[in-house]
Amino acid sequence: MHIYWLKWIAQCTITHISDCHKQLQESSGNVHMVDGFSLRLLQIQSSLYTSVHGFNQEEIREKLLAFPGGSIDLLKQDSGIAVLTINNPSRMNAFSGSMMVDLEEQVNQLENWTEGKGLIVQGAAETFCSGSDLNAVRAISNPQDGMKMCMFMQNTLTRLLRLPLISVALVEGRALGGGAELTTACDFRLMASDSVIQFVHKHMGLVPGWGGAARLVHIVGSQNALKLLGGALKVDPKLGLQIGLADGTLGGSQAEDGGGTPLQQAEHWISRYIKGPAPVIQAVKKVVLSGRELSLSEALRTEKDVFGTVWGGPANMQALASKSKHK
Ligand SMILES: CCCC(=O)SCCNC(=O)CCNC(=O)[C@H](O)C(C)(C)COP(=O)(O)OP(=O)(O)OC[C@H]1O[C@@H](n2cnc3c(N)ncnc32)[C@H](O)[C@@H]1OP(=O)(O)O
């Protein structure tokens, strides 16, 4: 069992934890073998950095908790859409150390949300996020601590992007520095009419460190990424749509976006992509994610595995029974 399990862990670095959980249960035939400890181990394996890379999660957690303030709030709704709110309005929703730890805990929650289909990431009080809290940054400005914080946030944001939920960043006000990086850890970005996404890192004598540069290149291409980072350009909704950083804008005609608050408009926008049963929507995200992250042959094998989880499943059988037509 141990050798099989270790082999499986090596394979499932990319595959989402729930797949591992399910297959472990099947292979062992004993659900009790997948206890909290094993799940935690699997979560660590789905992260980028582990002790092999000199990363000590508990040590950096302790360090980050020394910089408290604000919170990351999670609301899981019956609709299958969760709302994650970056909440530190007195600092324009800058990330304190404890908020970085909070975010990791909320991602844990979402990884285990079997009924989930969609996720909206927003900032409190009509602005998105002004990056890392400069007070914390000053206090841990030595390269060693900076690298540890960077690994912690890369782990968390990678797991956020790999959730089997279709995610959208709802950008109101400003998304600056690490806040701009956070928007790239979602599948889509929606920009309110007066909003700005700006990778201000160059002005701070930095480059992105939370994985934002690598993800940005995937989203807008290397030419545009170079312009955005090299010029610390302000991306408004018009430029965002033009270069593909924004997938939609809010504040259009009522008919188009459903009207209401920006959050209601974002819920309306995402609802068209998450209609249907959770296992099917989660499978959609998984096949796209594997196509995005894996080599073609690995992605094809993953697609086959994910296909196997929905083929002959309840939604498939129901559709066959109802002889549905796609007019
Ligand atoms: C790898 C991660 C890299 C990074 O994220 S580095 C951080 C990048 N972010 C920044 O440099 C943002 C710096 N802040 C600003 O440019 C401006 O505060 C900002 C966001 C444009 C808002 O400007 P205003 O509307 O004029 O408001 P304000 O400046 O009076 O700000 C209100 C209060 O919020 C505070 N604040 C804003 N961003 C912060 C941050 N990142 N860390 C800590 N505190 C921050 C700001 O100091 C002010 O506080 P207070 O009222 O003076 O006590």
Side-chain angles (χ1 to χ4, degrees):
M1 167 61 195
H2 271 303
I3 290 171
Y4 174 82
W5 190 76
L6 286 172
K7 270 193 190 162
W8 167 244
I9 280 181
Q11 281 169 14
C12 73
T13 310
I14 303 293
T15 313
H16 187 264
I17 180 169
S18 60
D19 295 339
C20 308
H21 188 171
K22 188 166 163 260
Q23 293 201 24
L24 268 168
Q25 286 178 343
E26 284 167 4
S27 68
S28 67
N30 178 357
V31 286
H32 300 298
M33 295 188 81
V34 187
D35 56 14
F37 175 70
S38 304
L39 275 176
R40 188 77 198 131
L41 269 178
L42 289 168
Q43 281 168 338
I44 290 166
Q45 292 301 323
S46 77
S47 302
L48 289 174
Y49 303 108
T50 65
S51 54
V52 174
H53 309 96
F55 179 67
N56 181 335
Q57 172 104 347
E58 289 315 310
E59 181 202 11
I60 182 65
R61 259 173 147 262
E62 287 305 308
K63 210 158 253 200
L64 291 171
L65 286 171
F67 303 99
S71 60
I72 305 290
D73 307 329
L74 179 62
L75 177 68
K76 288 191 250 171
Q77 307 182 113
D78 291 344
S79 60
I81 302 176
V83 181
L84 190 71
T85 305
I86 318 302
N87 190 357
N88 193 7
S90 65
R91 293 187 174 169
M92 308 295 283
N93 299 327
F95 260 89
S96 67
S98 63
M99 286 166 71
M100 295 181 193
V101 174
D102 266 9
L103 180 65
E104 197 262 341
E105 284 167 4
Q106 303 296 25
V107 169
N108 279 344
Q109 290 283 323
L110 290 167
E111 280 171 336
N112 293 302
W113 190 31
T114 45
E115 298 84 27
K117 299 193 282 182
L119 173 68
I120 298 174
V121 180
Q122 66 165 5
E126 295 169 16
T127 192
F128 191 74
C129 169
S130 65
S132 51
D133 185 327
L134 295 172
N135 305 302
V137 168
R138 272 179 215 110
I140 56 163
S141 61
N142 67 77
Q144 290 78 14
D145 284 345
M147 296 265 282
K148 286 175 191 165
M149 183 271 286
C150 160
M151 288 193 272
F152 186 89
M153 284 302 283
Q154 280 196 14
N155 272 352
T156 304
L157 294 184
T158 301
R159 286 170 51 202
L160 177 69
L161 186 60
R162 288 177 180 169
L163 287 171
L165 307 172
I166 297 182
S167 58
V168 60
L170 163 56
V171 185
E172 295 181 87
R174 293 187 179 91
L176 302 182
E181 295 192 60
L182 173 59
T183 70
T184 65
C186 293
D187 299 311
F188 299 112
R189 281 143 296 282
L190 279 182
M191 294 182 75
S193 52
D194 57 350
S195 64
V196 168
I197 301 177
Q198 189 180 11
F199 293 82
V200 295
H201 304 74
K202 188 187 77 165
H203 292 327
M204 303 296 296
L206 292 172
V207 291
W210 295 358
R215 291 188 298 267
L216 185 65
V217 170
H218 280 252
I219 297 166
V220 300
S222 62
Q223 300 298 101
N224 283 322
L226 209 47
K227 289 178 190 165
L228 296 192
L229 298 185
L233 299 187
K234 281 187 181 167
V235 181
D236 62 14
K238 188 171 170 230
L239 178 59
L241 283 177
Q242 196 184 313
I243 62 177
L245 185 58
D247 299 280
T249 56
L250 299 183
S253 73
Q254 293 265 314
E256 210 175 275
D257 54 29
T261 64
L263 180 58
Q264 286 166 337
Q265 291 176 47
E267 287 184 323
H268 178 78
W269 188 89
I270 201 175
S271 63
R272 80 196 79 169
Y273 304 115
I274 61 159
K275 280 199 184 84
V280 178
I281 305 304
Q282 294 192 4
V284 167
K285 171 69 184 274
K286 285 176 193 173
V287 291
V288 172
L289 183 68
S290 58
R292 189 157 70 195
E293 293 207 6
L294 302 176
S295 70
L296 181 59
S297 47
E298 284 171 315
L300 290 171
R301 280 193 285 272
T302 304
E303 188 172 310
K304 179 259 300 166
D305 291 342
V306 176
F307 179 78
T309 68
V310 286
W311 177 260
N316 181 221
M317 298 311 281
Q318 202 181 341
L320 291 173
S322 68
K323 297 186 182 158
S324 52
K325 291 190 180 186
H326 311 286
K327 283 187 173 173

